[in-house]
Amino acid sequence: MNKIALRLFLLVVFLPLASATNAQAIFPEWALGPFIRPENVNPILSPKTESLFFDPMSKQKIAWEAGDVFNPAAAEYKNKIYVLYRGEDRSGIGIGKRTSRIGIAESSDGIIMKRNPEPVFYPDEDSQKAAEWPGGCEDPRIAVTKEGLYVMLYTQWNRNIFRLAVATSRDLKHWTKHGAAFSKAYNGKFRELKCKSGSIVTKVENGKQVITKINGKYMMYWGERFMNIATSVDLINWEPSLNAKGDLDLIVQPRKNYFDSDLTECGPPAIVTDKGILVLYNGKNRGDAERDTNYVANTYSAGQVLFDLKNPSKVIARLDQPFFVPTAPFEKSGQYPSGTVFIEGLVYFKKKWFLYYGCADSQVAVAIYDPAAKK
């Protein structure tokens, strides 16, 4: 089958998901899904003007999530799902001009959320002040060890440089900041690297999704305009993979005329399956002639790529069409009106997969994949 015929076939297979929120799509055996939006529940989190918090920067109470809430992480703790999401205040106008903090909400069913009135993670008078003031803490991804240590990878933003950073917790509410993930690697070679979006590799064991090792080390896929691998022995200090020239080894990059023609940004924690290592990622469409004309210019949709378990930098398969695209009105209106479903939280809970995502950089929603329904 040539490329044109293949793309026409895939359009027939996958585009139903773009036109109907509850459409069933045929997925390759290695892919995860379909993810279905529950009816009449989304968005599950929206901005709140009444949430007040004493801000260490301004030394006053502010409405810390009055602007927008989006880009959530998620994890299971004591038989509940906890969603940790990015909340922006109204201190500025435009993307990146306000301060971001991370709030928390809990749920017994993964849908109905009880929110904490104050953020649990924010720029403070601490060791990370220089890296997080005044932009804040953005876009968390969370995974947990078998022993119950939660590891959060998030973006530090001081409005000069953004960095991928690490924090740990035992209860998802009290966190220890460890600083930039790559600060010590290769004698500080990547200390000033602009980087974000880390997806730690996990595996479902005894019904729980937990961090696992690959070839004797912890591993994550990371990157925004590309994907790279990083490894760690302690989940705090990470070492990016390099190619023969000593540069970052770019194992996945944008593709011209595809939905991910501009960005291939890592999403929620990666998953080891019987087919390989599966990474769900955010693909941004270009706005020029090199975009995928089947989708709106500059839109964010979600893709999947499968890596070889023995050689984690080797791509085995990759979806040519997104498995999740903006369709609902709240996914196409907000800070980012071109349309965004930005996936960052994925939890295996009660034998189902709960996918949490940001909607147009303004709200939070959920979609669910039930493996039993696929059989």
Side-chain angles (χ1 to χ4, degrees):
M1 185 182 291
N2 60 36
K3 182 177 179 180
I4 294 176
L6 178 61
R7 293 206 67 188
L8 288 173
F9 168 76
L10 289 171
L11 283 173
V12 171
V13 171
F14 286 100
L15 276 181
L17 192 59
S19 59
T21 58
N22 287 324
Q24 293 288 337
I26 300 174
F27 277 65
E29 187 179 359
W30 58 267
L32 201 66
F35 285 90
I36 306 301
R37 298 163 175 85
E39 293 185 1
N40 304 317
V41 300
N42 283 319
I44 58 171
L45 296 173
S46 299
K48 289 183 70 173
T49 57
E50 59 267 37
S51 298
L52 299 179
F53 157 75
F54 183 82
D55 173 37
M57 293 193 299
S58 63
K59 303 296 189 293
Q60 62 183 357
K61 282 194 173 183
I62 63 167
W64 65 275
E65 58 177 349
D68 294 280
V69 297
F70 54 113
N71 294 4
E76 181 182 356
Y77 176 65
K78 293 187 176 180
N79 298 317
K80 291 183 179 181
I81 287 182
Y82 285 77
V83 174
L84 283 85
Y85 59 94
R86 174 179 171 184
E88 285 190 339
D89 56 28
R90 290 178 173 175
S91 58
I93 299 175
I95 293 177
K97 302 298 183 182
R98 300 179 291 186
T99 301
S100 294
R101 300 168 182 86
I102 296 175
I104 191 169
E106 63 181 84
S107 176
S108 297
D109 62 2
I111 296 174
I112 299 174
M113 295 286 158
K114 179 184 178 182
R115 292 160 79 158
N116 200 64
E118 296 188 348
V120 293
F121 200 85
Y122 48 86
D124 202 351
E125 292 279 4
D126 56 29
S127 64
Q128 300 305 307
K129 179 178 178 178
E132 297 175 357
W133 287 39
C137 309
E138 304 177 350
D139 299 358
R141 279 94 164 156
I142 295 175
V144 63
T145 66
K146 293 179 184 178
E147 297 75 25
L149 179 68
Y150 292 88
V151 182
M152 178 167 66
L153 299 171
Y154 70 101
T155 301
Q156 298 179 316
W157 174 229
N158 59 11
R159 297 197 187 143
N160 177 44
I161 184 172
F162 51 86
R163 293 184 181 89
L164 184 64
V166 184
T168 55
S169 174
R170 290 286 178 180
D171 63 2
L172 296 172
K173 292 183 178 180
H174 302 90
W175 292 90
T176 300
K177 296 180 181 180
H178 300 284
F182 305 140
S183 62
K184 296 180 180 179
Y186 306 105
N187 297 315
K189 179 178 181 179
F190 297 108
R191 187 174 290 118
E192 300 304 314
L193 176 68
K194 293 180 178 179
C195 54
K196 57 172 62 179
S197 309
S199 302
I200 295 177
V201 177
T202 64
K203 186 177 183 179
V204 176
E205 296 183 3
N206 300 318
K208 302 291 184 180
Q209 182 187 1
V210 294
I211 295 172
T212 190
K213 290 183 177 180
I214 303 295
N215 298 327
K217 291 185 178 181
Y218 299 113
M219 199 180 86
M220 71 168 163
Y221 293 87
W222 67 276
E224 179 187 24
R225 292 194 174 274
F226 55 82
M227 283 190 203
N228 182 262
I229 285 176
T231 57
S232 175
V233 297
D234 60 7
L235 291 168
I236 293 172
N237 299 290
W238 294 84
E239 188 173 275
S241 296
L242 306 181
N243 59 24
K245 296 181 179 179
D247 299 323
L248 292 175
D249 190 16
L250 311 185
I251 57 175
V252 171
Q253 298 185 63
R255 301 172 290 182
K256 293 181 180 179
N257 304 120
Y258 285 84
F259 74 96
D260 52 11
S261 52
D262 195 24
L263 291 175
T264 53
E265 184 168 351
C266 293
I271 311 163
V272 172
T273 73
D274 58 353
K275 305 298 181 183
I277 304 174
L278 183 62
V279 177
L280 281 64
Y281 69 95
N282 298 289
K284 183 185 179 184
N285 203 12
R286 291 175 66 100
D288 57 20
E290 294 183 349
R291 73 181 178 93
D292 188 334
T293 56
N294 294 296
Y295 304 95
V296 175
N298 300 309
T299 193
Y300 279 87
S301 302
Q304 298 188 35
V305 58
L306 185 70
F307 295 91
D308 190 295
L309 185 58
K310 295 181 179 179
N311 181 8
S313 64
K314 179 183 177 181
V315 174
I316 298 176
R318 183 176 176 181
L319 295 182
D320 284 340
Q321 300 294 330
F323 76 96
F324 205 64
V325 300
T327 58
F330 55 84
E331 297 167 353
K332 297 184 288 184
S333 62
Q335 274 198 95
Y336 200 85
S338 294
T340 299
V341 286
F342 199 85
I343 59 173
E344 287 189 19
L346 182 66
V347 182
Y348 187 68
F349 183 68
K350 297 181 179 179
K351 298 183 179 180
K352 297 178 182 179
W353 289 98
F354 288 72
L355 181 66
Y356 296 90
Y357 61 98
C359 309
D361 281 6
S362 292
Q363 299 184 89
V364 172
V366 63
I368 302 170
Y369 163 49
D370 182 358
K374 193 175 182 179
K375 296 177 181 179

mmCIF file of all heavy atoms in Angstrom, residues 179-194:
data_model
loop_
_atom_site.group_PDB
_atom_site.id
_atom_site.type_symbol
_atom_site.label_atom_id
_atom_site.label_comp_id
_atom_site.label_asym_id
_atom_site.label_seq_id
_atom_site.Cartn_x
_atom_site.Cartn_y
_atom_site.Cartn_z
ATOM 1 N N GLY A 179 14.858 20.716 42.083
ATOM 2 C CA GLY A 179 15.507 21.528 41.066
ATOM 3 C C GLY A 179 15.483 20.913 39.677
ATOM 4 O O GLY A 179 14.803 19.917 39.423
ATOM 5 N N ALA A 180 16.230 21.512 38.763
ATOM 6 C CA ALA A 180 16.234 21.108 37.364
ATOM 7 C C ALA A 180 16.721 19.675 37.187
ATOM 8 O O ALA A 180 17.708 19.255 37.807
ATOM 9 C CB ALA A 180 17.095 22.064 36.551
ATOM 10 N N ALA A 181 16.037 18.923 36.341
ATOM 11 C CA ALA A 181 16.317 17.500 36.166
ATOM 12 C C ALA A 181 17.703 17.234 35.595
ATOM 13 O O ALA A 181 18.347 16.239 35.939
ATOM 14 C CB ALA A 181 15.255 16.876 35.264
ATOM 15 N N PHE A 182 18.194 18.124 34.725
ATOM 16 C CA PHE A 182 19.451 17.866 34.026
ATOM 17 C C PHE A 182 20.613 18.713 34.539
ATOM 18 O O PHE A 182 21.652 18.807 33.883
ATOM 19 C CB PHE A 182 19.265 18.136 32.527
ATOM 20 C CG PHE A 182 18.139 17.370 31.900
ATOM 21 C CD1 PHE A 182 17.317 17.971 30.954
ATOM 22 C CD2 PHE A 182 17.879 16.054 32.252
ATOM 23 C CE1 PHE A 182 16.267 17.269 30.369
ATOM 24 C CE2 PHE A 182 16.829 15.341 31.677
ATOM 25 C CZ PHE A 182 16.026 15.948 30.729
ATOM 26 N N SER A 183 20.473 19.343 35.688
ATOM 27 C CA SER A 183 21.472 20.308 36.152
ATOM 28 C C SER A 183 22.851 19.689 36.396
ATOM 29 O O SER A 183 23.876 20.362 36.237
ATOM 30 C CB SER A 183 20.988 20.995 37.428
ATOM 31 O OG SER A 183 20.806 20.050 38.474
ATOM 32 N N LYS A 184 22.909 18.410 36.770
ATOM 33 C CA LYS A 184 24.186 17.778 37.081
ATOM 34 C C LYS A 184 24.723 16.903 35.958
ATOM 35 O O LYS A 184 25.872 16.451 36.011
ATOM 36 C CB LYS A 184 24.047 16.945 38.364
ATOM 37 C CG LYS A 184 23.724 17.768 39.600
ATOM 38 C CD LYS A 184 23.614 16.882 40.830
ATOM 39 C CE LYS A 184 23.288 17.703 42.071
ATOM 40 N NZ LYS A 184 23.153 16.844 43.287
ATOM 41 N N ALA A 185 23.923 16.657 34.946
ATOM 42 C CA ALA A 185 24.330 15.746 33.872
ATOM 43 C C ALA A 185 25.499 16.305 33.063
ATOM 44 O O ALA A 185 25.547 17.495 32.747
ATOM 45 C CB ALA A 185 23.147 15.482 32.943
ATOM 46 N N TYR A 186 26.451 15.428 32.759
ATOM 47 C CA TYR A 186 27.596 15.792 31.917
ATOM 48 C C TYR A 186 28.282 17.071 32.413
ATOM 49 O O TYR A 186 28.576 17.982 31.642
ATOM 50 C CB TYR A 186 27.162 15.949 30.461
ATOM 51 C CG TYR A 186 26.434 14.747 29.911
ATOM 52 C CD1 TYR A 186 25.046 14.770 29.723
ATOM 53 C CD2 TYR A 186 27.099 13.565 29.615
ATOM 54 C CE1 TYR A 186 24.360 13.658 29.234
ATOM 55 C CE2 TYR A 186 26.431 12.447 29.129
ATOM 56 C CZ TYR A 186 25.069 12.505 28.945
ATOM 57 O OH TYR A 186 24.389 11.397 28.466
ATOM 58 N N ASN A 187 28.505 17.124 33.730
ATOM 59 C CA ASN A 187 29.200 18.266 34.345
ATOM 60 C C ASN A 187 28.515 19.602 34.065
ATOM 61 O O ASN A 187 29.167 20.623 33.869
ATOM 62 C CB ASN A 187 30.655 18.311 33.884
ATOM 63 C CG ASN A 187 31.449 17.088 34.320
ATOM 64 O OD1 ASN A 187 31.344 16.661 35.476
ATOM 65 N ND2 ASN A 187 32.226 16.518 33.415
ATOM 66 N N GLY A 188 27.192 19.565 34.032
ATOM 67 C CA GLY A 188 26.436 20.807 33.860
ATOM 68 C C GLY A 188 26.251 21.254 32.426
ATOM 69 O O GLY A 188 25.823 22.388 32.180
ATOM 70 N N LYS A 189 26.505 20.385 31.470
ATOM 71 C CA LYS A 189 26.417 20.740 30.049
ATOM 72 C C LYS A 189 25.041 21.265 29.667
ATOM 73 O O LYS A 189 24.915 22.152 28.821
ATOM 74 C CB LYS A 189 26.764 19.520 29.196
ATOM 75 C CG LYS A 189 26.687 19.760 27.690
ATOM 76 C CD LYS A 189 27.104 18.509 26.918
ATOM 77 C CE LYS A 189 27.042 18.753 25.411
ATOM 78 N NZ LYS A 189 27.478 17.556 24.649
ATOM 79 N N PHE A 190 23.986 20.725 30.303
ATOM 80 C CA PHE A 190 22.625 21.092 29.935
ATOM 81 C C PHE A 190 21.923 21.914 31.025
ATOM 82 O O PHE A 190 20.705 21.970 31.066
ATOM 83 C CB PHE A 190 21.817 19.838 29.619
ATOM 84 C CG PHE A 190 22.345 19.077 28.431
ATOM 85 C CD1 PHE A 190 23.000 17.864 28.605
ATOM 86 C CD2 PHE A 190 22.209 19.580 27.152
ATOM 87 C CE1 PHE A 190 23.499 17.159 27.519
ATOM 88 C CE2 PHE A 190 22.696 18.882 26.065
ATOM 89 C CZ PHE A 190 23.352 17.674 26.236
ATOM 90 N N ARG A 191 22.708 22.558 31.868
ATOM 91 C CA ARG A 191 22.129 23.337 32.963
ATOM 92 C C ARG A 191 21.237 24.464 32.452
ATOM 93 O O ARG A 191 20.225 24.805 33.068
ATOM 94 C CB ARG A 191 23.238 23.902 33.850
ATOM 95 C CG ARG A 191 22.718 24.600 35.112
ATOM 96 C CD ARG A 191 23.861 25.015 36.027
ATOM 97 N NE ARG A 191 24.503 23.857 36.651
ATOM 98 C CZ ARG A 191 25.779 23.520 36.465
ATOM 99 N NH1 ARG A 191 26.547 24.248 35.677
ATOM 100 N NH2 ARG A 191 26.290 22.470 37.083
ATOM 101 N N GLU A 192 21.601 25.065 31.328
ATOM 102 C CA GLU A 192 20.837 26.181 30.773
ATOM 103 C C GLU A 192 19.934 25.751 29.615
ATOM 104 O O GLU A 192 19.426 26.596 28.875
ATOM 105 C CB GLU A 192 21.794 27.280 30.309
ATOM 106 C CG GLU A 192 22.676 27.853 31.409
ATOM 107 C CD GLU A 192 21.872 28.400 32.575
ATOM 108 O OE1 GLU A 192 20.886 29.133 32.328
ATOM 109 O OE2 GLU A 192 22.215 28.085 33.744
ATOM 110 N N LEU A 193 19.734 24.459 29.456
ATOM 111 C CA LEU A 193 18.896 23.960 28.376
ATOM 112 C C LEU A 193 17.427 24.306 28.602
ATOM 113 O O LEU A 193 16.885 24.064 29.685
ATOM 114 C CB LEU A 193 19.044 22.431 28.276
ATOM 115 C CG LEU A 193 18.167 21.725 27.243
ATOM 116 C CD1 LEU A 193 18.598 22.090 25.827
ATOM 117 C CD2 LEU A 193 18.229 20.201 27.444
ATOM 118 N N LYS A 194 16.797 24.869 27.595
ATOM 119 C CA LYS A 194 15.359 25.081 27.652
ATOM 120 C C LYS A 194 14.689 23.738 27.392
ATOM 121 O O LYS A 194 14.845 23.145 26.324
ATOM 122 C CB LYS A 194 14.928 26.106 26.608
ATOM 123 C CG LYS A 194 15.447 27.509 26.872
ATOM 124 C CD LYS A 194 14.972 28.475 25.796
ATOM 125 C CE LYS A 194 15.463 29.884 26.090
ATOM 126 N NZ LYS A 194 15.042 30.849 25.035
#
